[in-house]
Amino acid sequence: MSTPSTEGQVPTTSAADGARALAGVVLPVLARGAIARRPRAVLGAQAAELDARAVRTMRHLRERYGPGPVQVRIPRRRFTFLLEPDQVHRVLNASPEPFAAATREKRGALGHFQPEGVLVSSPEERAVRKPFNDDVLEAGSPVHQHGQKMADAVQEEMDALLGHVEFTGTLVWDDFVRAWMRMVRRIVLGDSARDDEAVTDDLVRLRKDANWSFVKPTRRGHRDRLLRRLADYVDRAEPGSLAQMVASVPAPPGTEPHQQIPQWLFAFDAGTWATVRALALVAAHPGAAQRARDELPQSPDLPFLRATVLESLRLWPTTPAILRDTTEETAWAGGSLPAGASVMIFAPFFHRDDTRVPEAHRFAPELWMRERTDADWPFVPFSGGPAMCSGRNVVLLAASTALGRLLERHDFTLEDPPLSADRPLPGTLSPFHLRFTPHPLQ
Ligand code: HEM
């Protein structure tokens, strides 16, 4: 067995461990589609329990290479895996410098549909774009000033969905995602965008290319058309929409307001996966649906349902790999990391390591029903620090409201249940293949 090299830098794994990390951690993330998920690949990952294996691989790296971080050499690139909670907090809290969110990988991928988005911006651009995103999305506020209008859109679309599933007798992914996207277009662009599937289709096309990063040329025609349509919605500024906020929130030079919108439309997709999986958690855990129903009339901010969505995101993070590039040399207990190093936080490792997190594989909404700080073990479904997700409260509002509406007058059972309250929850759960039977309450 070869010995890890140190030479003043943080350790690099042996070639064998590097290959194991590449095959077991990095490639499964890419194979499933980092930007647009490939449902069949996700089902394959579920069958092969790839995420549970990835967590075991990460644990092996920590056991072998000490507290880390540890570098993994892959063709033409080195990834540095963080292995301890304090490293995660440090990196996320020090974005964008010296840990830049606009990594080479993200610029390659997101450039296909949001070349001026905040996530791929330089520190100077970020200085105006991040506050703009935070202001429009009211990042720090659990209920957005358009919250009632958002909730109305969610409830109307969920009611239409329920009408449909009562007729078919089953709730399946395709029906849910159609209703969800109508709701998203109404929230983001305005009610008149409800049936503008062309916007979503253009974005999906570009996101599929984004899976291939720099390898695929950008479809500039599609991208320009998408951005033009988004600019039209901003001009229309329908009352109660985020487009209206974009039109009215002050935007200093360099903000590129309408070019921030593709990220929001794209990111709402993760909300679909999280919500469907959260419904599966509720269906699989006796008492959870009633607990949700009990809070509906009492707590407009739906704490239990929010915590359920957050649990769905802890158990099955929709951004499993949070990436940062170092902008200067940084010092660590195990040595230094040069500028330009690629740092990876593999969220499932921190969310699902049962040697450190007793609740790792069970539904534990109580984890989220109190304030969390950097003193806590890192659960980072929305990242953290200055580049934390600006849309977290908007999406949690939409998802918890959607779940509340579905559960208000229905129970749901899972068909061929891939999860149960009596077993450890699986490391991977394809939302695309879940099927529910609705049972109207008497
Ligand atoms: C369940 C749904 C969502 C999840 C799990 C999620 C997660 C994340 C994560 C992990 C990041 C950081 C990525 C990184 O550090 O590289 C991020 C960034 C971001 N998200 Fe979300 N997101 C979700 C939905 C949304 C929605 C619906 C919006 C807008 C309406 C939104 C807006 C943003 C923005 C603007 C950023 C960039 C923040 C920055 O660069 O400072 N997200 N999100």
Side-chain angles (χ1 to χ4, degrees), residues 15-39:
D17 282 338
R20 186 173 163 189
L22 178 62
V25 180
V26 180
L27 289 182
V29 172
L30 298 178
R32 266 171 273 184
I35 305 295
R37 290 291 192 274
R38 303 178 177 112

Side-chain angles (χ1 to χ4, degrees), residues 19-88:
R20 186 173 163 189
L22 178 62
V25 180
V26 180
L27 289 182
V29 172
L30 298 178
R32 266 171 273 184
I35 305 295
R37 290 291 192 274
R38 303 178 177 112
R40 263 182 296 184
V42 177
L43 190 63
Q46 177 176 307
E49 299 187 5
L50 290 189
D51 288 284
R53 283 165 191 248
V55 171
R56 284 200 292 274
T57 301
M58 292 294 300
R59 206 183 299 155
H60 165 77
L61 294 183
R62 185 176 60 209
E63 280 158 13
R64 172 126 201 253
Y65 299 95
V70 66
Q71 300 190 72
V72 173
R73 202 176 303 207
I74 63 169
R76 291 196 283 159
R77 197 91 166 107
R78 275 170 186 245
F79 277 111
T80 308
F81 286 102
L82 302 188
L83 299 175
E84 290 293 333
D86 58 324
Q87 297 161 1
V88 174

Side-chain angles (χ1 to χ4, degrees), residues 55 310-320 322 345-354 357 359-361 367-368 377-383:
V55 171
L310 285 160
E311 263 303 82
S312 156
L313 288 165
R314 178 184 70 82
L315 291 159
W316 303 289
T318 53
T319 308
I322 300 174
I345 299 165
F346 186 62
F349 175 52
F350 293 97
H351 295 189
R352 288 297 211 87
D353 181 0
D354 52 17
V357 181
E359 301 86 351
H361 308 309
L367 284 174
W368 301 98
W377 188 265
F379 298 140
V380 285
F382 291 110
S383 180

